[in-house]
PDB file of all heavy atoms in Angstrom:
ATOM      1  N   HIS A 235       2.996  -9.152   7.806  1.00 43.00           N
ATOM      2  CA  HIS A 235       1.884  -8.261   7.515  1.00 43.00           C
ATOM      3  C   HIS A 235       0.802  -8.492   8.536  1.00 43.00           C
ATOM      4  O   HIS A 235       0.311  -9.622   8.689  1.00 43.00           O
ATOM      5  CB  HIS A 235       1.370  -8.506   6.093  1.00 43.00           C
ATOM      6  CG  HIS A 235       0.377  -7.483   5.652  1.00 43.00           C
ATOM      7  ND1 HIS A 235      -0.931  -7.541   5.995  1.00 43.00           N
ATOM      8  CD2 HIS A 235       0.524  -6.349   4.929  1.00 43.00           C
ATOM      9  CE1 HIS A 235      -1.575  -6.510   5.461  1.00 43.00           C
ATOM     10  NE2 HIS A 235      -0.680  -5.764   4.800  1.00 43.00           N
ATOM     11  N   PRO A 236       0.377  -7.475   9.304  1.00 46.00           N
ATOM     12  CA  PRO A 236      -0.544  -7.715  10.400  1.00 46.00           C
ATOM     13  C   PRO A 236      -1.904  -8.238   9.993  1.00 46.00           C
ATOM     14  O   PRO A 236      -2.568  -8.949  10.732  1.00 46.00           O
ATOM     15  CB  PRO A 236      -0.666  -6.318  11.057  1.00 46.00           C
ATOM     16  CG  PRO A 236      -0.203  -5.368  10.044  1.00 46.00           C
ATOM     17  CD  PRO A 236       0.756  -6.080   9.157  1.00 46.00           C
ATOM     18  N   SER A 237      -2.338  -7.939   8.756  1.00 46.00           N
ATOM     19  CA  SER A 237      -3.690  -8.392   8.361  1.00 46.00           C
ATOM     20  C   SER A 237      -3.629  -9.484   7.254  1.00 46.00           C
ATOM     21  O   SER A 237      -4.633  -9.856   6.724  1.00 46.00           O
ATOM     22  CB  SER A 237      -4.509  -7.197   7.870  1.00 46.00           C
ATOM     23  OG  SER A 237      -3.920  -6.648   6.708  1.00 46.00           O
ATOM     24  N   GLY A 238      -2.430  -9.957   6.942  1.00 46.00           N
ATOM     25  CA  GLY A 238      -2.287 -10.974   5.886  1.00 46.00           C
ATOM     26  C   GLY A 238      -2.582 -12.347   6.423  1.00 46.00           C
ATOM     27  O   GLY A 238      -2.656 -12.580   7.627  1.00 46.00           O
ATOM     28  N   PRO A 239      -2.780 -13.312   5.471  1.00 46.00           N
ATOM     29  CA  PRO A 239      -3.028 -14.695   5.876  1.00 46.00           C
ATOM     30  C   PRO A 239      -1.840 -15.242   6.685  1.00 46.00           C
ATOM     31  O   PRO A 239      -0.726 -14.779   6.562  1.00 46.00           O
ATOM     32  CB  PRO A 239      -3.147 -15.456   4.563  1.00 46.00           C
ATOM     33  CG  PRO A 239      -3.449 -14.385   3.558  1.00 46.00           C
ATOM     34  CD  PRO A 239      -2.826 -13.125   4.032  1.00 46.00           C
ATOM     35  N   THR A 240      -2.084 -16.229   7.484  1.00 48.00           N
ATOM     36  CA  THR A 240      -1.036 -16.856   8.324  1.00 48.00           C
ATOM     37  C   THR A 240       0.084 -17.359   7.401  1.00 48.00           C
ATOM     38  O   THR A 240      -0.163 -17.957   6.385  1.00 48.00           O
ATOM     39  CB  THR A 240      -1.637 -18.028   9.099  1.00 48.00           C
ATOM     40  OG1 THR A 240      -2.687 -17.525   9.923  1.00 48.00           O
ATOM     41  CG2 THR A 240      -0.578 -18.657   9.984  1.00 48.00           C
ATOM     42  N   GLY A 241       1.287 -17.079   7.795  1.00 48.00           N
ATOM     43  CA  GLY A 241       2.451 -17.525   7.033  1.00 48.00           C
ATOM     44  C   GLY A 241       2.878 -16.553   5.960  1.00 48.00           C
ATOM     45  O   GLY A 241       3.932 -16.770   5.358  1.00 48.00           O
ATOM     46  N   CYS A 242       2.121 -15.541   5.685  1.00 45.00           N
ATOM     47  CA  CYS A 242       2.531 -14.554   4.682  1.00 45.00           C
ATOM     48  C   CYS A 242       3.413 -13.515   5.328  1.00 45.00           C
ATOM     49  O   CYS A 242       3.270 -13.182   6.504  1.00 45.00           O
ATOM     50  CB  CYS A 242       1.307 -13.838   4.103  1.00 45.00           C
ATOM     51  SG  CYS A 242       0.311 -14.902   3.061  1.00 45.00           S
ATOM     52  N   ARG A 243       4.345 -13.042   4.569  1.00 45.00           N
ATOM     53  CA  ARG A 243       5.148 -11.947   5.090  1.00 45.00           C
ATOM     54  C   ARG A 243       5.345 -10.928   3.993  1.00 45.00           C
ATOM     55  O   ARG A 243       5.350 -11.218   2.808  1.00 45.00           O
ATOM     56  CB  ARG A 243       6.488 -12.463   5.609  1.00 45.00           C
ATOM     57  CG  ARG A 243       7.322 -13.135   4.588  1.00 45.00           C
ATOM     58  CD  ARG A 243       8.591 -13.723   5.250  1.00 45.00           C
ATOM     59  NE  ARG A 243       9.418 -14.288   4.228  1.00 45.00           N
ATOM     60  CZ  ARG A 243      10.650 -13.919   3.996  1.00 45.00           C
ATOM     61  NH1 ARG A 243      11.213 -13.007   4.734  1.00 45.00           N
ATOM     62  NH2 ARG A 243      11.351 -14.478   3.044  1.00 45.00           N
ATOM     63  N   VAL A 244       5.480  -9.710   4.386  1.00 47.00           N
ATOM     64  CA  VAL A 244       5.737  -8.616   3.435  1.00 47.00           C
ATOM     65  C   VAL A 244       7.195  -8.687   3.078  1.00 47.00           C
ATOM     66  O   VAL A 244       8.063  -8.706   3.950  1.00 47.00           O
ATOM     67  CB  VAL A 244       5.399  -7.268   4.055  1.00 47.00           C
ATOM     68  CG1 VAL A 244       5.809  -6.152   3.123  1.00 47.00           C
ATOM     69  CG2 VAL A 244       3.947  -7.179   4.422  1.00 47.00           C
ATOM     70  N   ILE A 245       7.462  -8.745   1.798  1.00 49.00           N
ATOM     71  CA  ILE A 245       8.857  -8.708   1.339  1.00 49.00           C
ATOM     72  C   ILE A 245       9.064  -7.453   0.565  1.00 49.00           C
ATOM     73  O   ILE A 245       8.929  -7.405  -0.647  1.00 49.00           O
ATOM     74  CB  ILE A 245       9.210  -9.938   0.499  1.00 49.00           C
ATOM     75  CG1 ILE A 245       8.903 -11.201   1.284  1.00 49.00           C
ATOM     76  CG2 ILE A 245      10.668  -9.919   0.123  1.00 49.00           C
ATOM     77  CD1 ILE A 245       9.162 -12.472   0.535  1.00 49.00           C
ATOM     78  N   ASN A 246       9.239  -6.382   1.286  1.00 51.00           N
ATOM     79  CA  ASN A 246       9.570  -5.079   0.654  1.00 51.00           C
ATOM     80  C   ASN A 246      10.961  -4.776   1.165  1.00 51.00           C
ATOM     81  O   ASN A 246      11.115  -4.262   2.257  1.00 51.00           O
ATOM     82  CB  ASN A 246       8.600  -4.028   1.050  1.00 51.00           C
ATOM     83  CG  ASN A 246       8.960  -2.684   0.432  1.00 51.00           C
ATOM     84  OD1 ASN A 246      10.014  -2.554  -0.184  1.00 51.00           O
ATOM     85  ND2 ASN A 246       8.140  -1.705   0.636  1.00 51.00           N
ATOM     86  N   TYR A 247      11.925  -5.142   0.376  1.00 60.00           N
ATOM     87  CA  TYR A 247      13.318  -4.955   0.829  1.00 60.00           C
ATOM     88  C   TYR A 247      13.740  -3.509   0.779  1.00 60.00           C
ATOM     89  O   TYR A 247      14.917  -3.219   0.849  1.00 60.00           O
ATOM     90  CB  TYR A 247      14.235  -5.815  -0.040  1.00 60.00           C
ATOM     91  CG  TYR A 247      14.041  -7.269   0.171  1.00 60.00           C
ATOM     92  CD1 TYR A 247      13.452  -8.049  -0.788  1.00 60.00           C
ATOM     93  CD2 TYR A 247      14.444  -7.884   1.370  1.00 60.00           C
ATOM     94  CE1 TYR A 247      13.252  -9.419  -0.589  1.00 60.00           C
ATOM     95  CE2 TYR A 247      14.270  -9.233   1.564  1.00 60.00           C
ATOM     96  CZ  TYR A 247      13.668  -9.999   0.596  1.00 60.00           C
ATOM     97  OH  TYR A 247      13.500 -11.310   0.782  1.00 60.00           O
TER      98      TYR A 247
END
Side-chain angles (χ1 to χ4, degrees):
H235 189 276
S237 62
T240 302
C242 290
R243 60 186 184 121
V244 174
I245 304 177
N246 178 354
Y247 293 108

